[in-house]
């Protein structure tokens, strides 16, 4: 071979090394080679860059992408994605500003479903996307059907009336008050046109509690379930709607036994189901009372909560300590509680059966123990009341125990997906709540982490034997640490989004308490439940109480470190991206999981770009509480603001300090009118009194401190903020004509004649407006020229077309819904 031929052969080898598998040589050869001229010689660095660039071409990436999809399909992750797309459909339907008809959704589901089934051959690549759309439409259809089926009658406005009904649930709080769930049979004085079917009423001086199934009556104050405390926060009316509760309130005085018998046909299916529910509630209550009687105090209330899920008897201080320490999840009947109970029963029963000589050789004792554990968790879910987290845990544990019967793997992502599918089908609205999302996020992360650890362990080489005892202790310590870390990371974004707080030392608290929960609290709690029918629960409950006391000691220690981080609200876009990214990272196993990390990073970047400025003024939906917000404090018009609303403001705005108003003494000489009549029917205030009231108001506001309220007791509160606005809140609505032109913003928690003050420069917020808008945030909108900035309003509700919001548009005078949108 000549030198020329040898050189040409070496160039051909170098050129072939650039080719991708299956690519055409002409596609990658230089243009000079195709034209008959020899290509210039490339150095080694340039050849590597050219090869890498060639791998990024779409033609080269397509087979790699398809191979990754086949890898995911081999893992069975197509099934795992089924509930994910269904959940997206549920959340999309709930987020719409209007209702989609069930018939329309059913038609769309049929169209996309049949299209997915028809995709074959060349169109086979479209089957996956069409299936995803069909699952998305399935989720929308399921939640639409649930909403139509629920059809809760929600009270439209606060009212005082006589209520008669049947007690279907009762709960005692830490102050000894009883909270009754009542199936309403009749209202009178006045008789409500839209009577709620179920209400919850607190009896402050109830004496001996009424049993379940008792017919009671009494004078009660009923109110609609509250909406969000601020725009973007939790809407409690949404939760009440899907629970069937149409109103909340309290009895005036003690309720009494009704002389009228409860109505209803005992032979109907509804009555039978109601009787079963009442029996289970009575059993749950009996178990809780026996636990609290045996232990007592907050420890007994905690022990009862771990078994029956009744948390109202726990003092607020203890609940707050557990939340700040990151141990609030212990109160929920979740996967941890049920897994420990089932695992303790399974191991204990199998150990006892193995001690019988020869039994293990004749019968499958593992499967017998699994059957007993399955029966036990079924009783557990009935006693615990069936919350979403408990239901999810019960489904998963049941699937794991049934898998033992068939010698199949118990812990897998398929089981998590199956549990999610069951919950989405049975109660799709539950997926919008933090209980479902946090429970499944933690479970998904733990199962995915366990799967990766198992694969890594299978591929590792054997290490030197360090002794069985050392490996056991190291494994337990590592398991506790990793479980706490993964669970905390998986739920952190949900804790920030829904509760606006993050326990900085939550990992430490969980590591210290996990041995107590796993070895003492839950096992002895299980022993107590097994021995309770025989009256022998005292000793195991004493051991359980000791473990709970030590857990509370740890919680108080961690809380004393002052490590809770109040984060404030975060944007919905960043939260959604981080949540979806976390699901992708946990579900996918190939290099496609990197896309989840990309989504998480995009979500974090989105959070950094958000406008973190605080509103200048916040108004509660009833108009009775108003706050001036600064970076250091929230100044309110009430010395002791209601904790339910104000605590949400503090966490959502990340402002902890409260600035109370300066209270002035009641005015003398009968200067101010009485509030014994409605503002619209009372006679107008005389001209001389109007001048005196305005003078008193001006004197007080001119001598007040900027950024804080000054209040004339039972009449008005006023303030000037740093922007220059004058804000007045009227407790006495009869003062509206006299003071409506004395401020930039007037808030009155009653209906007033706005037209009478239309010439004023003030923006007026009254009860009529707040009923349509809910809670309000106000920010400064700078003018193009000079002058005081304008008031920019943001309301909690932008539409009232959804079923859980529509009661705000009902007019009891006409008996019809007035389709009127929130407006300013």
């Amino acid at each position: 071979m000549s030198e020329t031929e040898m050189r040409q052969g070496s160039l051909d080898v170098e050129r072939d090394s650039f080719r991708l598998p299956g690519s055409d040589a002409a596609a990658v050869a230089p243009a000079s080679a195709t034209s008959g001229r020899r290509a210039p010689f490339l150095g080694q660095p340039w050849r590597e860059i050219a090869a890498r660039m060639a791998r990024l071409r779409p033609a080269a990436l397509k087979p790699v992408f398809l191979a990754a999809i086949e890898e995911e399909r081999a893992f069975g992750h197509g099934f795992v994605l089924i509930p994910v797309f269904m959940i997206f459909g549920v959340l999309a339907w709930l987020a719409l500003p209007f209702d989609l008809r069930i018939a329309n959704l059913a038609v769309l589901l049929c169209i996309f479903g049949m299209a997915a089934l028809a995709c074959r051959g060349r169109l086979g690549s479209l089957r996956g996307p069409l299936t995803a759309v069909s699952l998305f439409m399935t989720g929308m259809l399921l939640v639409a059907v649930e909403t139509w089926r629920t059809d809760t009658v929600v009270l439209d406005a606060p009212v005082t009336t006589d209520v008669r009904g049947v007690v279907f649930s009762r709960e005692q709080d830490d102050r000894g008050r009883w909270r009754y769930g009542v199936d309403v049979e009749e209202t009178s004085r006045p008789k409500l046109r839209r009577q709620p079917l179920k209400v919850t009423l607190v009896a402050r001086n109830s004496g001996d509690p009424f049993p379940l199934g008792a017919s009671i009556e009494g004078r009660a104050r009923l109110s609609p379930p509250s909406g969000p405390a601020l725009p973007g926060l939790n809407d409690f009316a949404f939760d009440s709607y899907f629970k069937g509760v149409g109103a909340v309130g309290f009895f005036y005085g003690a309720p009494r036994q009704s002389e009228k018998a409860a109505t209803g046909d005992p032979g109907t299916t509804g009555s039978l189901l109601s009787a079963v529910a009442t029996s289970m509630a009575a059993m749950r209550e009996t178990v809780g009372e026996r636990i609290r009687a045996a232990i007592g105090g907050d420890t007994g209330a905690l022990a009862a909560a771990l078994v029956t899920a009744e948390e109202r008897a726990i003092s607020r201080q203890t609940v707050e300590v557990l939340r700040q320490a990151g141990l609030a999840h212990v109160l929920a009947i979740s996967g941890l509680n049920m897994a420990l109970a089932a695992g303790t029963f399974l191991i204990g029963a199998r150990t006892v059966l193995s001690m019988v000589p020869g039994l293990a050789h004749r019968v499958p004792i593992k499967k017998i123990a699994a059957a007993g554990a399955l029966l036990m968790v079924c009783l557990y879910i009935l006693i615990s009341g069936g919350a979403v987290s408990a239901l999810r845990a019960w489904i998963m544990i049941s699937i794991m125990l049934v898998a033992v019967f068939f010698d199949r793997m118990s812990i897998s992502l398929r089981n998590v997906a199956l549990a999610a599918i069951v919950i989405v089908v049975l109660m799709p609205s539950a997926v919008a709540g933090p209980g479902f999302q946090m429970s499944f996020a933690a479970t998904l992360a733990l199962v995915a982490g366990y799967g990766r650890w198992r694969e890594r362990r299978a591929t590792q080489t054997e290490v030197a034997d360090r002794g069985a005892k050392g490996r056991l202790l190291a494994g337990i310590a590592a398991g506790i640490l990793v479980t706490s870390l993964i669970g905390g990371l998986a739920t952190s974004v949900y804790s920030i989004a829904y509760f606006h707080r993050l326990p900085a030392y939550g990992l430490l608290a969980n590591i210290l308490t996990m041995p107590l929960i796993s070895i003492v609290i839950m096992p002895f709690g299980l022993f107590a439940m097994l021995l309770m029918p025989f009256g022998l629960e005292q000793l195991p409950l004493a051991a359980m109480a000791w473990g709970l006391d030590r857990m509370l000691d740890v919680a108080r220690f961690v809380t004393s470190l002052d490590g809770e981080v109040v984060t404030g609200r975060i944007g919905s876009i960043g939260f959604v991206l981080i949540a979806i990214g976390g699901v992708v990272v946990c579900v996918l196993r190939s290099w496609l999981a990197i896309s989840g990390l990309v989504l998480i990073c995009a979500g974090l970047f989105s959070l950094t770009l958000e406008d973190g400025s605080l509103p200048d003024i916040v108004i509660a939906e009833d108009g009775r509480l108003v706050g001036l917000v600064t970076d250091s404090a929230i100044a309110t018009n009430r010395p002791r603001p209601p904790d339910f609303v104000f605590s949400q403001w503090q966490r959502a705005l990340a402002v902890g300090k409260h600035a109370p108003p300066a209270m002035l003494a009641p005015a003398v000489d009968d200067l101010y009118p009485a509030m014994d009549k409605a503002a619209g029917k009372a006679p107008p205030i005389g001209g001389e009194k109007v001048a005196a009231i305005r003078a008193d108001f001006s004197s007080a506001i001119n001598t007040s401190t900027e950024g804080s309220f000054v209040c004339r007791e039972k009449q008005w509160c006023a303030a000037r903020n740093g922007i220059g606005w004058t804000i007045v809140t009227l407790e006495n609505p009869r003062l509206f004509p006299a003071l409506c032109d004395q401020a930039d913003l007037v808030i009155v928690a009653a209906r007033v004649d706005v037209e009478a003050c239309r010439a004023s420069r003030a923006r007026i917020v009254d009860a009529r407006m707040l009923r349509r808008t809910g809670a309000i945030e106000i920010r400064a909108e700078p003018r193009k020229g000079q002058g005081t900035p304008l008031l920019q309003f943001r309301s909690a509700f932008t539409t009232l077309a959804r079923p859980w919001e529509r009661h705000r548009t009902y007019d009891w005078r006409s008996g019809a819904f007035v389709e009127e949108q929130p407006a300013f």
Side-chain angles (χ1 to χ4, degrees):
M1 182 181 296
S2 64
E3 181 179 355
T4 303
E5 291 174 344
M6 293 179 62
R7 182 177 301 172
Q8 185 64 38
S10 63
L11 290 175
D12 291 339
V13 172
E14 291 176 355
R15 188 181 301 115
D16 290 341
S17 65
F18 290 149
R19 296 176 184 169
L20 294 172
S23 62
D24 188 5
V28 295
S32 58
T34 60
S35 60
R37 291 178 295 178
R38 188 170 65 184
F41 182 78
L42 295 177
Q44 184 65 23
W46 293 105
R47 289 200 301 272
E48 292 179 357
I49 293 174
R52 292 176 181 176
M53 293 298 294
R55 294 170 188 166
L56 297 179
R57 293 181 309 154
L61 289 177
K62 182 177 179 180
V64 178
F65 181 74
L66 294 177
I69 293 179
E70 288 299 325
E71 183 181 353
E72 297 293 346
R73 189 176 300 171
F75 276 112
H77 290 165
F79 181 80
V80 177
L81 292 175
I82 290 177
V84 175
F85 291 113
M86 293 174 66
I87 290 171
F88 288 163
V90 171
L91 297 177
W93 190 90
L94 293 175
L96 290 174
F98 52 85
D99 288 342
L100 290 177
R101 297 178 59 186
I102 295 177
N104 296 342
L105 293 173
V107 171
L108 289 174
L109 176 60
C110 291
I111 292 174
F112 285 107
M114 289 187 294
L117 293 175
C119 287
R120 300 179 183 275
R122 294 182 178 180
L123 298 177
S125 59
L126 298 177
R127 172 172 290 186
L130 288 174
T131 301
V133 175
S134 301
L135 294 171
F136 182 86
M137 299 305 303
T138 301
M140 298 186 79
L141 180 61
L142 286 171
V143 71
V145 170
E146 183 194 19
T147 305
W148 167 78
R149 187 180 70 247
T150 303
D151 195 24
T152 300
V153 177
V154 182
L155 187 67
D156 53 282
V159 64
T160 299
T161 182
D162 288 338
V163 177
R164 181 174 63 85
V166 179
V167 177
F168 67 86
S169 69
R170 66 176 189 175
E171 237 181 338
Q172 191 176 26
D173 64 11
D174 58 318
R175 290 185 282 179
R177 301 178 304 178
W178 285 92
R179 181 189 185 195
Y180 295 101
V182 180
D183 285 317
V184 179
E185 294 185 336
E186 184 184 13
T187 58
S188 58
R189 295 193 309 155
K191 182 177 179 59
L192 303 183
R193 293 186 180 182
R194 295 181 69 253
Q195 177 178 294
L197 300 181
K198 291 183 179 181
V199 299
T200 58
L201 295 170
V202 175
R204 299 175 177 176
N205 300 310
S206 59
D208 294 333
F210 292 94
L212 298 175
S215 181
I216 64 173
E217 61 183 4
R219 192 73 173 168
R221 179 67 174 176
L222 299 179
S223 300
S226 60
L230 285 177
L233 300 191
N234 182 52
D235 185 1
F236 296 94
F238 174 87
D239 301 329
S240 294
Y241 178 88
F242 285 99
K243 290 179 181 178
V245 177
V248 297
F250 57 88
F251 283 108
Y252 288 107
R256 57 189 178 275
Q257 185 80 30
S258 176
E259 297 179 358
K260 298 181 180 180
T263 60
D265 183 6
T268 62
T269 303
S271 298
L272 179 61
L273 294 176
S274 177
V276 172
T278 301
S279 299
M280 295 309 303
M283 182 187 300
R284 179 166 59 253
E285 184 178 304
T286 300
V287 171
E289 288 178 353
R290 292 184 64 170
I291 293 174
R292 287 190 291 269
I295 300 177
D298 268 355
T299 305
L302 273 173
L306 292 177
V307 177
T308 66
E310 294 181 358
E311 302 178 13
R312 287 180 60 86
I314 308 172
S315 67
R316 295 184 180 181
Q317 181 181 2
T318 299
V319 172
E320 188 63 23
V321 166
L322 291 173
R323 285 176 178 170
Q324 292 183 17
L327 297 174
H329 64 88
V330 177
L331 299 176
I333 306 295
S334 59
L336 174 63
N337 309 55
M338 199 160 289
L340 290 174
T344 301
F345 188 97
L346 181 65
I347 296 172
R350 188 177 182 185
T351 302
V352 171
L353 292 175
S354 65
M355 296 174 65
V356 179
L359 183 63
H361 298 285
R362 295 192 299 269
V363 296
I365 60 174
K366 181 180 179 181
K367 296 181 181 180
I368 294 175
L374 181 60
L375 177 61
M376 187 273 301
V377 296
C378 289
L379 293 175
Y380 195 178
I381 189 65
L382 291 175
I383 293 176
S384 66
V388 174
S389 59
L391 185 61
R392 192 271 313 157
W394 172 69
I395 294 171
M396 282 205 60
I397 298 297
S398 299
I399 293 172
M400 293 169 58
L401 294 173
V402 170
V404 175
F405 299 155
F406 301 97
D407 300 319
R408 300 294 298 272
M409 183 183 300
S410 299
I411 302 176
S412 67
L413 290 176
R414 281 177 172 267
N415 292 349
V416 181
L418 185 58
I421 291 172
V422 172
I423 291 181
V424 172
V425 171
L426 294 180
M427 49 179 73
S429 61
V431 306
F436 174 91
Q437 295 176 15
M438 296 183 73
S439 176
F440 269 93
T443 304
L444 185 65
L446 290 171
V447 172
Y450 171 76
R452 285 180 170 84
W453 172 80
R454 185 176 54 204
E455 293 175 0
R456 180 175 178 271
R457 185 180 181 186
T459 57
Q460 280 182 337
T461 58
E462 293 294 332
V463 296
D465 187 6
R466 296 179 295 172
K469 183 177 180 180
R471 291 199 308 273
L472 178 61
L473 294 176
I476 293 175
I480 292 174
L481 176 62
V482 174
T483 300
S484 301
L485 182 61
I486 293 177
L489 288 176
T491 58
S492 59
V493 66
Y494 299 93
S495 179
I496 294 173
Y498 289 106
F499 307 113
H500 320 299
R501 57 168 67 179
L502 196 63
Y505 299 106
L507 178 60
L508 173 63
N510 279 274
I511 291 174
L512 295 177
T513 57
M514 195 61 66
L516 289 170
I517 298 172
S518 306
I519 301 173
V520 180
I521 297 174
M522 289 308 301
F524 280 98
L526 174 63
F527 297 154
M529 294 304 99
L530 296 176
L531 295 174
M532 186 172 288
F534 308 101
L536 303 176
E537 70 273 14
Q538 295 291 336
L539 289 178
L541 284 179
M544 184 183 186
W546 178 89
L548 289 170
D549 286 335
R550 303 293 76 76
M551 183 186 74
L552 289 176
D553 291 340
V554 172
R556 294 186 186 100
F557 165 72
V558 173
T559 304
S560 67
L561 301 177
D562 195 21
E564 184 184 46
V565 179
V566 179
T567 61
R569 289 176 296 185
I570 61 174
S572 57
I573 296 177
F575 166 63
V576 170
L577 289 175
I578 294 173
I580 295 177
V583 172
V584 171
V585 169
C586 293
V587 170
L588 301 183
R589 289 292 185 78
S590 66
W591 63 268
L592 293 175
I594 299 176
S595 59
L597 296 176
V598 173
L599 288 175
I600 293 175
C601 293
L604 294 174
F605 181 70
S606 173
L607 295 180
T608 61
L609 297 180
E610 289 178 356
D611 180 14
S613 62
L614 297 174
D616 298 290
I617 304 172
V618 288
I619 306 173
E621 67 172 345
D622 61 357
R624 299 184 183 277
L625 181 64
V626 179
L628 305 182
V629 184
T630 63
D631 292 334
S632 58
I634 302 177
T636 67
N637 62 327
R638 290 201 169 193
R640 299 179 62 184
D643 182 68
F644 177 74
V645 174
F646 189 69
S647 61
Q648 294 184 69
W649 287 3
Q650 289 177 307
R651 292 194 299 270
L653 303 176
V655 179
K657 187 178 178 181
H658 172 229
M663 301 300 298
L664 304 177
V668 295
D669 299 332
D670 196 26
L671 175 61
Y672 287 93
M675 294 191 298
D676 56 344
K677 296 183 179 181
K681 298 180 180 180
I685 305 174
E688 295 182 0
K689 277 196 173 183
V690 169
I693 289 172
R694 290 179 176 177
D696 179 62
F697 174 84
S698 299
S699 174
I701 194 67
N702 290 332
T703 58
S704 65
T705 304
E706 183 181 278
S708 63
F709 279 94
V710 58
C711 298
R712 179 67 71 184
E713 189 175 355
K714 297 183 180 180
Q715 299 298 332
W716 52 260
C717 290
R720 281 200 180 116
N721 63 1
I723 300 175
W725 294 336
T726 300
I727 302 99
V728 59
T729 67
L730 299 179
E731 189 171 347
N732 186 351
R734 294 184 62 186
L735 299 176
F736 177 73
L739 297 180
C740 66
D741 60 349
Q742 302 295 302
D744 299 285
L745 177 66
V746 180
I747 303 113
V748 53
R751 291 174 177 261
V752 294
D753 185 10
V754 178
E755 296 297 330
C757 209
R758 183 59 65 185
S760 170
R761 62 186 173 89
R763 299 291 298 273
I764 300 168
V765 177
D766 68 338
R768 184 185 294 105
M769 177 180 179
L770 288 169
R771 189 184 178 202
R772 302 194 307 269
T773 63
I776 294 175
E777 292 181 1
I778 302 177
R779 298 173 184 268
E781 182 180 1
R783 298 183 182 182
K784 293 183 178 180
Q786 296 181 351
T788 305
L790 299 175
L791 286 79
Q792 182 184 39
F793 286 71
R794 180 191 175 197
S795 62
F797 297 112
T798 57
T799 176
L800 299 178
R802 307 315 302 271
W804 51 90
E805 301 166 352
R806 195 169 294 138
H807 62 278
R808 293 174 175 267
T809 66
Y810 182 77
D811 183 11
W812 62 270
R813 298 172 181 83
S814 62
F817 291 93
V818 180
E819 298 298 333
E820 187 177 7
Q821 299 299 325
F824 298 103

